[in-house]
């Protein structure tokens, strides 16, 4: 089992992350590419499908992702704060620039994925987080689970756990979170387990099913990196 907290950045203020790899270009491009393929294949039927984010359709999730690239940390914090204000989510949805359709969205995602792979500067976990959340929402609307590398799922899970709201922190505090199908874990204490997608859904607030203590069907998968010390 790889302890990701030793190898992945937390991406939060006042934390020395100089000893870990922060470049998430490959992982972000891969998730965007998979998301583009799903949106293009799903077409207009998927485009108008509701997601687990109340009031939001696939079209809205795609628009937010595409128009949110390269936001600063401050802008991201403000966007998150707006969601906590009554009516903030509805205003954000109403003011969101609309896209022409799934083909335009898929082309833009593919273009972004290509640009990320080719650019010289690194891509941080915040942009990967945006892509992963969109993939969870759109994948859920399509009743499919988009492919995601253990590094991608682990990096976003670690970031979300580090900044989790009170209700999520109350569940995970004092525990090690372990992905049963991705070979990673982080934290301290007795383990709580789920699939990588299940952990991400809980940590991002998309799903309400909390991770659980390991049972007979939750055996360790093959490790994907150095063992935890």
């Amino acid at each position: 089992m790889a302890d990701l907290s030793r190898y992945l950045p937390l991406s939060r203020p006042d934390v020395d992350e100089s000893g870990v790899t922060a470049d998430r270009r490959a992982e972000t491009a891969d998730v965007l590419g998979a998301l583009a393929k799903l949106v293009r294949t799903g077409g207009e039927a998927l485009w108008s499908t509701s997601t687990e984010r109340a009031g939001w359709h696939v079209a809205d999730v795609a628009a937010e992702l595409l128009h949110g690239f390269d936001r600063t940390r401050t802008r991201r914090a403000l966007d998150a704060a707006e969601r906590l204000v009554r009516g903030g989510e509805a205003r954000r949805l109403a003011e969101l620039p609309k896209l022409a359709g799934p083909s335009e969205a898929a082309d833009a995602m593919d273009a972004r994925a290509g640009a990320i792979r080719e650019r010289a500067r690194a891509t941080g976990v915040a942009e990967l987080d945006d892509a992963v959340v969109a993939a969870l929402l759109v994948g859920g609307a399509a009743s499919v689970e988009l492919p995601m590398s253990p590094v991608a799922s682990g990096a976003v899970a670690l970031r979300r756990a580090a900044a989790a709201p009170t209700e999520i922190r109350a569940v995970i505090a004092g525990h090690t979170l372990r992905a049963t199908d991705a070979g990673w874990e982080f934290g301290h204490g007795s383990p709580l387990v789920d699939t990588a997608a299940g952990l991400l859904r809980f940590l991002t607030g998309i799903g309400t099913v909390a991770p659980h203590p390991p049972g007979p069907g939750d055996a360790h998968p093959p490790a994907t990196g150095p063992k935890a010390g």
Side-chain angles (χ1 to χ4, degrees), residues 41-211:
T41 302
E44 293 293 341
L46 179 61
W47 192 243
S48 58
T49 299
S50 296
T51 71
E52 292 168 281
R53 189 171 170 186
W56 288 63
H57 296 82
V58 168
D60 305 313
V61 172
E64 182 184 51
L65 174 66
L66 291 169
H67 290 290
F69 288 141
D70 296 324
R71 287 177 296 165
T72 64
R73 178 174 295 192
T74 299
R75 181 66 258 172
R76 291 175 185 275
L78 289 172
D79 289 344
E82 286 176 1
R83 293 201 175 106
L84 300 179
V85 179
R86 181 183 294 274
E89 184 84 330
R91 287 198 302 272
R92 182 171 179 79
L93 181 56
E95 296 170 358
L96 191 65
K98 304 303 180 184
L99 297 169
S103 293
E104 178 194 14
D107 288 347
M109 291 173 191
D110 277 334
R112 180 68 177 190
I116 287 172
R117 290 185 191 280
E118 295 172 3
R119 71 188 181 194
R121 72 177 173 84
T123 293
V125 70
E127 189 168 358
L128 173 60
D129 188 301
D130 289 344
V132 165
V133 169
L136 291 171
L137 288 168
V138 177
S143 298
V144 301
E145 189 173 303
L146 288 179
M148 197 175 300
S149 73
V151 172
S153 62
V156 174
L158 183 60
R159 178 179 190 258
R160 289 287 178 152
T166 302
E167 61 271 20
I168 293 177
R169 189 176 296 275
V171 174
I172 66 176
H175 292 284
T176 294
L177 294 184
R178 177 183 300 157
T180 58
D181 60 347
W184 55 256
E185 64 180 25
F186 58 83
H188 301 280
S190 58
L192 293 175
V193 305
D194 203 342
T195 63
L199 288 171
L200 283 170
R201 286 172 53 78
F202 179 71
L203 292 170
T204 59
I206 292 172
T208 58
V209 178

Side-chain angles (χ1 to χ4, degrees), residues 4-75:
L4 288 185
S5 62
R6 297 170 56 189
Y7 307 103
L8 295 176
L10 294 174
S11 292
R12 57 179 177 171
D14 305 320
V15 173
D16 181 9
E17 298 177 347
S18 59
V20 292
T21 300
D23 188 0
R24 294 288 165 253
R25 276 177 292 189
E27 293 80 16
T28 304
D30 286 346
V31 174
L32 284 173
L35 185 55
K37 182 177 180 180
L38 177 59
V39 169
R40 183 176 287 109
T41 302
E44 293 293 341
L46 179 61
W47 192 243
S48 58
T49 299
S50 296
T51 71
E52 292 168 281
R53 189 171 170 186
W56 288 63
H57 296 82
V58 168
D60 305 313
V61 172
E64 182 184 51
L65 174 66
L66 291 169
H67 290 290
F69 288 141
D70 296 324
R71 287 177 296 165
T72 64
R73 178 174 295 192
T74 299
R75 181 66 258 172

